[in-house]
């Protein structure tokens, strides 16, 4: 009896398989599956049938039994340009073989060379992923900082506006005179024109109240 090969899907399960486990009833009864714990240091885990080590974020080409076309210490920009040029040259050679001699074994060799170039280019681009993640995080934090500064600035403007309204309201209140000989409170009936103008300018209902007062005076 031949050994049965383990079939591994290249894609995760559909979301419905996970959603069905997180119903309100399961969450209320604490039956929902717990999230998996983070991998420990030096732990080896399997993803889509491939073993990964937690120490290395990006697997090296040598660990995948793939020929390395780029040196260990190099300038990524220059090496990407070299790989791109080599890819174009090999592609033109492949077209020549297909035109002149389609059955030539060199055709298969050129296809393998092109595949190897693509793998090395893909690996070189993957090495930029940590830098891309840091830059993405930096941009997100700058956006959050800018939004919070704008919110604080708007709040400060509203606070100053409220303070102006409160100060104007206090300045428009009648003032009690304690020096009255009769002992009673004398209410100030005259309003400073500057205070009146400020109140009319800052209080939208001032004009409406003024019209009502004139109407009452006319009736009397």
């Amino acid at each position: 009896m031949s050994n049965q090969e383990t079939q591994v899907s290249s894609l995760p399960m559909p979301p419905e398989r996970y959603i069905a486990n997180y119903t309100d009833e399961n969450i209320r009864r604490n039956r929902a599956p717990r999230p998996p714990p983070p991998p420990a240091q030096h732990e080896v885990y399997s993803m889509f049938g491939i073993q990964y080590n937690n120490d290395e974020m990006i697997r090296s080409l040598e660990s995948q039994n793939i020929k390395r076309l780029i040196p260990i210490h190099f300038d990524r920009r220059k090496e990407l340009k070299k790989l791109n040029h080599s890819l174009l040259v090999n592609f033109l050679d492949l077209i020549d073989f297909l035109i002149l001699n389609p059955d030539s074994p060199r055709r298969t060799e050129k296809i393998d060379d092109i595949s190897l170039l693509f793998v090395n280019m893909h690996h070189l681009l993957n090495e930029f992923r940590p830098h891309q993640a840091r830059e993405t995080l930096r941009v997100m934090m700058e956006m959050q900082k800018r939004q919070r500064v704008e919110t604080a600035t708007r709040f400060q403007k509203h606070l100053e506006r409220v303070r102006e309204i409160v100060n104007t309201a206090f300045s428009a209140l009648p003032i009690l005179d304690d020096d009255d000989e009769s002992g009673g409170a004398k209410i100030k009936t005259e309003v400073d024109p500057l205070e009146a103008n400020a109140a009319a300018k800052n209080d939208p209902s001032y004009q409406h109240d003024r019209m009502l007062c004139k109407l009452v005076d006319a009736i009397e």
Side-chain angles (χ1 to χ4, degrees):
M1 183 176 179
S2 60
N3 294 330
Q4 295 181 356
E5 296 182 357
T6 304
Q7 296 182 357
V8 180
S9 176
S10 60
L11 298 174
M13 292 189 299
E16 290 79 7
R17 297 286 299 275
Y18 299 99
I19 296 174
N21 296 327
Y22 291 91
T23 60
D24 295 338
E25 184 68 21
N26 290 342
I27 294 175
R28 184 169 57 255
R29 296 188 178 184
N30 200 16
R31 294 180 179 177
R34 297 292 181 182
Q41 191 176 7
H42 307 294
E43 182 179 355
V44 178
Y45 61 94
S46 176
M47 183 171 63
F48 301 137
I50 302 176
Q51 297 292 328
Y52 290 92
N53 189 355
N54 192 30
D55 292 336
E56 55 181 8
M57 184 178 299
I58 301 175
R59 298 180 61 192
S60 62
L61 295 174
E62 291 78 7
S63 63
Q64 305 177 52
N65 297 324
I66 299 175
K67 183 179 179 181
R68 187 183 184 93
L69 301 179
I70 52 181
I72 301 297
H73 303 286
F74 57 91
D75 185 358
R76 288 178 171 81
R77 183 177 299 179
K78 292 181 180 179
E79 293 299 327
L80 276 175
K81 290 182 178 179
K82 291 180 181 179
L83 292 175
N84 191 23
H85 293 164
S86 300
L87 184 63
L88 294 176
V89 171
N90 282 272
F91 181 73
L92 294 176
D93 293 341
L94 177 61
I95 293 178
D96 291 338
F97 284 124
L98 293 176
I99 294 175
L100 300 177
N101 190 5
D103 298 331
S104 174
R106 296 291 303 278
R107 176 179 61 86
T108 306
E109 295 178 2
K110 283 296 176 183
I111 293 176
D112 295 337
D113 293 341
I114 292 175
S115 300
L116 183 60
L117 287 170
F118 272 120
V119 170
N120 277 264
M121 290 181 68
H122 188 266
H123 177 75
L124 193 58
L125 292 175
N126 279 339
E127 291 183 348
F128 281 104
R129 297 300 181 186
H131 175 70
Q132 181 185 10
R134 289 192 295 269
E135 287 296 315
T136 303
L137 181 60
R138 182 183 63 82
V139 172
M140 291 175 59
M141 294 179 68
E142 288 181 353
M143 291 179 60
Q144 293 178 3
K145 178 183 177 182
R146 184 169 61 252
Q147 292 175 357
R148 292 177 180 177
V149 170
E150 292 176 355
T151 302
T153 303
R154 290 196 302 268
F155 177 79
Q156 186 66 29
K157 290 181 179 179
H158 287 299
L159 180 60
E160 293 176 356
R161 175 65 175 170
V162 170
R163 286 177 177 174
E164 292 179 0
I165 295 174
V166 172
N167 292 332
T168 303
F170 274 114
S171 62
L173 290 176
I175 299 177
L176 299 178
D177 192 359
D178 296 335
D179 297 334
D180 192 4
E181 296 179 354
S182 61
K186 182 179 179 181
I187 299 176
K188 181 181 178 182
T189 57
E190 295 181 359
V191 181
D192 190 357
L194 296 178
E195 296 177 357
N197 292 334
K201 181 179 179 181
N202 295 303
D203 191 2
S205 61
Y206 178 79
Q207 297 294 337
H208 185 262
D209 295 339
R210 188 176 179 183
M211 293 176 60
L212 291 178
C213 291
K214 289 182 178 180
L215 182 60
V216 172
D217 294 337
I219 293 174
E220 293 177 354

